[in-house]
Each structure stands twice: as structure tokens, then as C-alpha cells.
Amino acid sequence: SQTIHQWPATLVQPVGSPLSLECTVEGTSNPNLYWYRQAAGRGLQLLFYSVGIGQISSEVPQNLSASRPQDRQFILSSKKLLLSDSGFYLCAWAGQRPTVETQYFGPGTRLLVL
Amino acid sequence: AQKVTQAQTEISVVEKEDVTLDCVYETRDTTYYLFWYKQPPSGELVFLIRRNSFDEQNEISGRYSWNFQKSTSSFNFTITASQVVDSAVYFCALSEDGAGGTSYGKLTFGQGTILTVHP
């Protein structure tokens, strides 16, 4: 069966510091991968998605970047964190087309920028 | 552009009551997919159901049921005989198929409904 891992689970970082959040998937090959952010107020916003190694699409302009160095690894980064980057970050995976597949989410990372 | 509206911000019920969570969506695509997810206090999103636009059959899974009506662009979720363990935030989401499958399964979420079930 497939599993998705995220770490760290919780992170407190000062403003201006760098960030690296990691997401890995097991039990599947060539998944679509997604990063979402959930700020206070509960809505989830898609930040990035990837359909293959090295292929990253950004949905919103922001202070963050994403990379996919391996098939089942997805990394969210920032060079300098802002207060507004605080939130709950969720990674998700889905099977590849031909149909829109269900996304399955990881446990998330809670980021607090002080 | 696609949009999902969950007008109920918070719902509070007493255990064993039935409760319906509303979801209204907007899309120009003729092929699309609708989802419901549950987010318990731990934070992880748990997948509940997926429906495609060509399948309007209602679905029942234990105490959960879903009513999909294309005529009103709604995909409502009912919990029968609610229990304290049903307390969570529930999200409705939409994914368009896109021309030639170009949506890549991107989800648009509603703002969520906080459901609190009191003993």
C-alpha cells in the first residue's frame, strides 16, 4: 500500500531564516505531487504541483519554491522566511492520468515563523 | 474559473442527530470530479468520497451519504446519527479535467465546515 511521509511535524523558525520541508511517498511510481498551505481560517491553497522529476508548476507567486529531485520526493523551500509563511503545509500524491485521480494527503507540517 | 462554496462555517449538533453539510460548486468544464475530505484535530486530511460529473447516483457508506445534483451544482454530505468522533472540519473540493487533461488533478477547496458533535 502507499504511504506518504512529511517532516518535520512541527517547526518554529525566525523571520529571515531558510526553510526546507520534505515529503516522500512509498509504494507507488511516477505520482503527481502537490504542496498545499492551510493558513488560519482553514482554507487550503495549492502552492505547487509536479508531474515528474524536475517538473514544477507554481500556482501562486510567493516567497517559496519547490523541487522534485527524485520520483517520490518533493521539497518545499524558502531562502528567507516571512511572518506570512506561517501555516500548516500539506503534501499530497495522486496517481497519474488518464483520469483525475484522488489525492491522498500526508500528516502535514506546522510552521510558525516568529 | 472553478469555485467551491461551503456556506456553513460551523455546525453544532447533539449526538445522534442527523446533519447535512452543504457544498455548491462552479465550473465550466463538462467533466469534473468532486471530493469530500475530513480533517480531524490531528490535521491530516482523510479522503471520504470521489464523484465524477457523469455519475449522479447518490452514495451511502454506513452513516455517511452523499447527494450529487448537477441541476443545482451541489454535492451535499449527510451524516446520520452523528457521533462525537465525527467532530472535525469537512472540506468539499473540485477538480476539473481540463482540455486534454491539463488540469493535472489540481484541487480547489471550499473553506470548510467545522462540525462539532456534543455528547
Side-chain angles (χ1 to χ4, degrees):
Chain A
S1 65
Q2 300 86 6
T3 55
I4 179 168
H5 305 279
Q6 286 186 245
W7 64 89
T10 305
L11 194 58
V12 180
Q13 291 285 92
V15 169
S17 64
L19 172 74
S20 181
L21 303 182
E22 190 162 343
C23 169
T24 58
V25 182
E26 295 177 356
T28 186
S29 297
N30 199 28
N32 284 347
L33 296 172
Y34 308 85
W35 277 112
Y36 291 87
R37 177 168 60 199
Q38 185 177 30
R42 309 190 319 277
L44 283 92
Q45 182 183 38
L46 177 63
L47 302 176
F48 302 94
Y49 66 94
S50 171
V51 299
I53 296 174
Q55 301 178 62
I56 308 295
S57 296
S58 174
E59 286 295 289
V60 293
Q62 60 204 312
N63 185 43
L64 302 169
S65 61
S67 62
R68 185 170 175 174
Q70 300 181 44
D71 181 45
R72 289 167 288 180
Q73 184 185 29
F74 205 22
I75 298 172
L76 185 69
S77 304
S78 173
K79 292 182 180 177
K80 288 186 178 181
L81 282 169
L82 306 172
L83 287 173
S84 58
D85 292 324
S86 293
F88 188 46
Y89 290 82
L90 287 154
C91 180
W93 75 272
Q96 289 272 357
R97 283 191 57 77
T99 62
V100 168
E101 297 294 324
T102 299
Q103 288 184 30
Y104 296 94
F105 287 80
T109 295
R110 297 192 184 277
L111 172 65
L112 179 60
V113 182
L114 300 174
Chain B
Q2 55 189 18
K3 184 180 178 181
V4 177
T5 301
Q6 295 180 253
Q8 303 151 308
T9 304
E10 293 190 49
I11 299 177
S12 182
V13 299
V14 177
E15 211 168 18
K16 298 185 182 177
E17 283 185 29
D18 298 345
V19 58
T20 295
L21 309 181
D22 297 334
C23 173
V24 174
Y25 62 91
E26 296 176 27
T27 178
R28 294 185 201 172
D29 269 22
T30 55
T31 303
Y32 52 89
Y33 299 79
L34 294 164
F35 302 82
W36 276 95
Y37 286 88
K38 174 182 179 180
Q39 187 178 40
S42 61
E44 182 173 351
L45 261 70
V46 177
F47 165 70
L48 296 178
I49 190 171
R50 169 177 178 260
R51 261 286 177 266
N52 72 53
S53 52
F54 299 110
D55 183 2
E56 282 193 78
Q57 273 195 327
N58 291 331
E59 179 151 342
I60 298 175
S61 176
R63 297 184 296 106
Y64 295 172
S65 62
W66 291 269
N67 185 321
F68 176 25
Q69 292 197 339
K70 288 178 74 171
S71 61
T72 56
S73 297
S74 65
F75 186 42
N76 296 336
F77 173 30
T78 297
I79 302 175
T80 303
S82 60
Q83 300 176 0
V84 172
V85 293
D86 296 327
S87 297
V89 183
Y90 290 87
F91 290 97
C92 180
L94 165 71
S95 182
E96 295 173 334
D97 196 43
T102 56
S103 75
Y104 302 109
K106 294 179 289 182
L107 287 173
T108 296
F109 282 87
Q111 286 299 300
T113 297
I114 301 173
L115 174 64
T116 303
V117 182
H118 299 281

